[in-house]
Amino acid sequence: MREVSEDKRLKIVATLFPTYDFTRNIGRDTVEVSLLLPPGIESHSFEPRPGDIIRINSADIFIFTNKYMETWIDDILKGIDNKDLLIVDSSNDIKFIEEKDGHDHKHDHKKEKNSRQITLDPHIWLDIRNAKKMVDNILAGLIKKDPLNRDFYINNAEVYKSKLDALDQEFYRGLSNCKKDIFVHAGHFAFGYLSERYKIRYISVYKGVSPDSEPTPAMMRNIINIIKKYGLTYIFYEELMTPRLAEVISKETGVGLLKLHAIHNLSKDEFEKGETFISLMQQNLKNLRIGLQCQ
């Protein structure tokens, strides 16, 4: 690898924490990566401000998660006049899954299929196979922009993907012998990819992607009945949100509370502590094993 001075590093803006963390692992000291979404901000309510557009416009590479997650992406790109800016869609060649519970997703792409409206889940990084494809897409962008460091980037990406493979096996082993095969999440619908990958049934209290969409009383009763029916001992809550609904359900049913991190973004404290995609997924596995009563 050639020596790269600070002023020669590739300047990269990544929208969400997964793309930010993946890029850091591939580029290391040859890149200067900044996170568009400030730590502590909930991703689904985020809208880029003029200062964000200026930052993107002055970057060498702009990496976004996917057009169903960042629904504002087309409007933002129309305002970019930096012709040298390389734009990387980290979701290239990834197959999106349909939300299984039938709720409407405010932020999801909608289309007609067999005269039926379906919604696509944008949380692709929670299937580790997709995370590896995102790494490959980011790698391709770095090589295109900086071909002299091609071998360095390829080696780093392979090392990181081997760590993701090991994480995938941790999940398989950790969730292979559990008393329960269903979990309830008092947050927006985010864990469809994870639940499909590891064959766990998943129920979200909120309707769809937006955490601002309040569940109806009928939905709340249904959730409480499911917890009682399956003898669940925990309910999960999401990061960066006050677990008000989880606490209400906990008081009603007597179940405990556990956090399940969708890793859109980190709290300021998590960011300062140096949490990573892998460390947060490992925390998720630990809590899932408790909630699913795994041996």
Side-chain angles (χ1 to χ4, degrees):
M1 185 195 76
R2 63 188 173 96
E3 291 293 326
V4 180
S5 62
E6 194 166 323
D7 62 338
K8 294 294 185 181
R9 291 177 182 172
L10 287 178
K11 291 180 172 56
I12 302 173
V13 176
T15 52
L16 299 189
F17 184 75
T19 51
Y20 168 83
D21 198 37
F22 298 161
T23 304
R24 288 192 307 169
N25 277 278
I26 303 167
R28 298 191 185 178
D29 293 339
T30 67
V31 300
E32 179 185 319
V33 192
S34 64
L35 185 58
L36 186 67
L37 188 67
I41 300 298
E42 204 288 316
S43 61
H44 292 286
S45 59
F46 174 74
E47 291 287 342
R49 297 168 296 183
D52 297 319
I53 299 172
I54 292 172
R55 186 148 59 102
I56 295 169
N57 204 43
S58 62
D60 297 304
I61 303 176
F62 174 55
I63 303 169
F64 69 99
T65 316
N66 61 75
K67 63 183 179 181
Y68 311 130
M69 187 72 218
E70 291 100 358
T71 55
W72 39 261
I73 191 68
D74 287 340
D75 291 336
I76 290 297
L77 294 181
K78 288 176 184 176
I80 299 298
D81 56 17
N82 178 3
K83 294 181 180 179
D84 293 325
L85 177 67
L86 178 64
I87 298 163
V88 175
D89 179 352
S90 73
S91 69
N92 281 339
D93 297 323
I94 289 177
K95 182 179 180 180
F96 287 80
I97 66 171
E98 179 184 351
E99 180 189 355
K100 299 296 192 297
D101 65 357
H103 296 325
D104 291 332
H105 278 194
K106 178 182 176 182
H107 290 272
D108 274 354
H109 175 63
K110 295 180 173 64
K111 66 180 182 178
E112 292 295 327
K113 183 178 181 181
N114 298 327
S115 301
R116 176 175 64 88
Q117 189 180 67
I118 68 170
T119 58
L120 299 180
D121 185 343
H123 305 88
I124 53 175
W125 59 89
L126 291 172
D127 183 328
I128 293 172
R129 295 170 299 181
N130 290 341
K132 291 173 62 179
K133 289 182 180 180
M134 293 170 73
V135 168
D136 285 337
N137 289 328
I138 294 168
L139 170 64
L142 292 182
I143 291 173
K144 183 174 182 179
K145 199 69 175 177
D146 182 19
L148 289 179
N149 273 320
R150 179 181 184 276
D151 291 342
F152 176 72
Y153 296 141
I154 290 174
N155 181 68
N156 292 342
E158 290 303 315
V159 169
Y160 188 66
K161 286 193 294 182
S162 70
K163 293 179 180 179
L164 292 176
D165 284 332
L167 177 65
D168 194 31
Q169 289 305 308
E170 282 183 52
F171 268 81
Y172 266 114
R173 290 193 300 269
L175 301 176
S176 64
N177 187 17
C178 306
K179 291 183 179 179
K180 306 297 179 183
D181 67 349
I182 183 172
F183 70 94
V184 174
H185 179 235
H188 71 286
F189 192 92
F191 294 97
Y193 290 94
L194 185 146
S195 64
E196 184 172 281
R197 174 63 171 160
Y198 303 112
K199 309 301 183 230
I200 313 167
R201 288 184 289 168
Y202 160 52
I203 295 172
S204 171
V205 174
Y206 282 86
K207 287 182 66 178
V209 165
S210 174
D212 299 322
S213 54
E214 289 288 330
T216 64
M219 290 169 63
M220 290 288 284
R221 287 194 299 272
N222 182 53
I223 291 296
I224 290 170
N225 289 337
I226 287 171
I227 288 173
K228 292 178 178 178
K229 176 182 177 181
Y230 291 101
L232 304 182
T233 52
Y234 287 93
I235 185 168
F236 292 90
Y237 63 94
E238 66 182 304
E239 76 278 9
L240 302 180
M241 300 289 291
T242 302
R244 181 177 56 82
L245 275 177
E247 289 170 348
V248 169
I249 295 170
S250 173
K251 289 178 181 178
E252 182 70 25
T253 60
V255 299
L257 299 175
L258 289 168
K259 182 163 74 172
L260 200 58
H261 209 305
I263 321 180
H264 308 80
N265 198 12
L266 307 189
S267 67
K268 292 180 181 178
D269 183 58
E270 288 170 332
F271 193 81
E272 290 171 359
K273 285 182 178 178
E275 296 286 4
T276 66
F277 175 80
I278 289 176
S279 71
L280 291 172
M281 285 293 282
Q282 288 171 331
Q283 291 175 31
N284 281 344
L285 175 58
K286 179 180 178 180
N287 285 347
L288 278 170
R289 282 179 50 78
I290 295 171
L292 296 173
Q293 302 173 36
C294 302
Q295 304 300 309

